[in-house]
Amino acid sequence: MTDSVREAVQEKLANGIFNCPKELTLSMISGKWKINILYHLGTDGPYYFYELQKLSPAASRKEITAKLKELVEDGLVNRKPLKTVPVKVQYSITPLGKSLMPIIDAMLKWGQQRLDDLQLGQVEFGLGKVKHE
């Protein structure tokens, strides 16, 4: 989902006219890098910003910053500036974010199975049909 969808969901929630739990969930975890960030914070965290950036080397600093900001705003991640020079910021998963871990783990297992099937040539892309029995 794009940021505009996330914003639309937040506006509907604020106005009390939103009631689609699936869309709410997706608006909070969709977007490039969010699942990756939540996964790492939920399994190995907390992390400093630069550590999270190293875990997503294809992501720009700007992308990681934006996604972390959204995750903090949605209550899924804590942001804790430490009194160091230079200032370091540590991120950790909140109890609300931790409650998403079974969903993220299921997505990981499903994706791994799908990749395994594709690498073995058992499944056609997109259709999910077995090529040979």
Side-chain angles (χ1 to χ4, degrees):
M1 290 193 175
T2 64
D3 291 337
S4 62
V5 172
R6 181 177 174 274
E7 291 169 10
V9 167
Q10 288 177 332
E11 185 177 326
K12 288 178 184 177
L13 280 169
N15 293 328
I17 57 170
F18 187 77
N19 64 357
C20 182
K22 296 179 297 284
E23 190 175 356
L24 172 63
T25 304
L26 287 174
S27 75
M28 293 177 75
I29 64 172
S30 290
K32 209 168 186 181
W33 312 116
K34 282 187 179 181
I35 295 289
N36 193 42
I37 292 167
L38 287 169
Y39 174 79
H40 287 296
L41 290 175
T43 57
D44 305 319
Y47 281 107
Y48 294 108
F49 177 85
Y50 71 90
E51 294 172 320
L52 287 169
Q53 195 172 13
K54 284 182 182 180
L55 292 169
S56 304
S60 71
R61 179 179 182 87
K62 183 178 176 181
E63 289 174 313
I64 296 293
T65 299
K67 297 312 169 194
L68 281 167
K69 182 180 176 187
E70 290 176 8
L71 290 167
V72 169
E73 286 173 0
D74 289 341
L76 302 176
V77 170
N78 285 320
R79 181 183 188 276
K80 181 181 177 186
L82 303 176
K83 295 180 181 180
T84 60
V85 178
V87 174
K88 292 183 179 180
V89 177
Q90 188 176 59
Y91 293 90
S92 60
I93 197 163
T94 65
L96 181 62
K98 194 79 166 165
S99 71
L100 287 168
M101 291 307 294
I103 296 166
I104 294 169
D105 288 338
M107 290 171 66
L108 175 69
K109 288 176 187 169
W110 185 91
Q112 186 59 58
Q113 182 60 55
R114 180 71 176 146
L115 285 174
D116 292 347
D117 291 346
L118 291 171
Q119 289 170 355
L120 294 173
Q122 295 177 347
V123 180
E124 293 178 14
F125 277 90
L127 301 176
K129 294 182 180 176
V130 176
K131 286 185 181 178
H132 303 288
E133 293 197 29

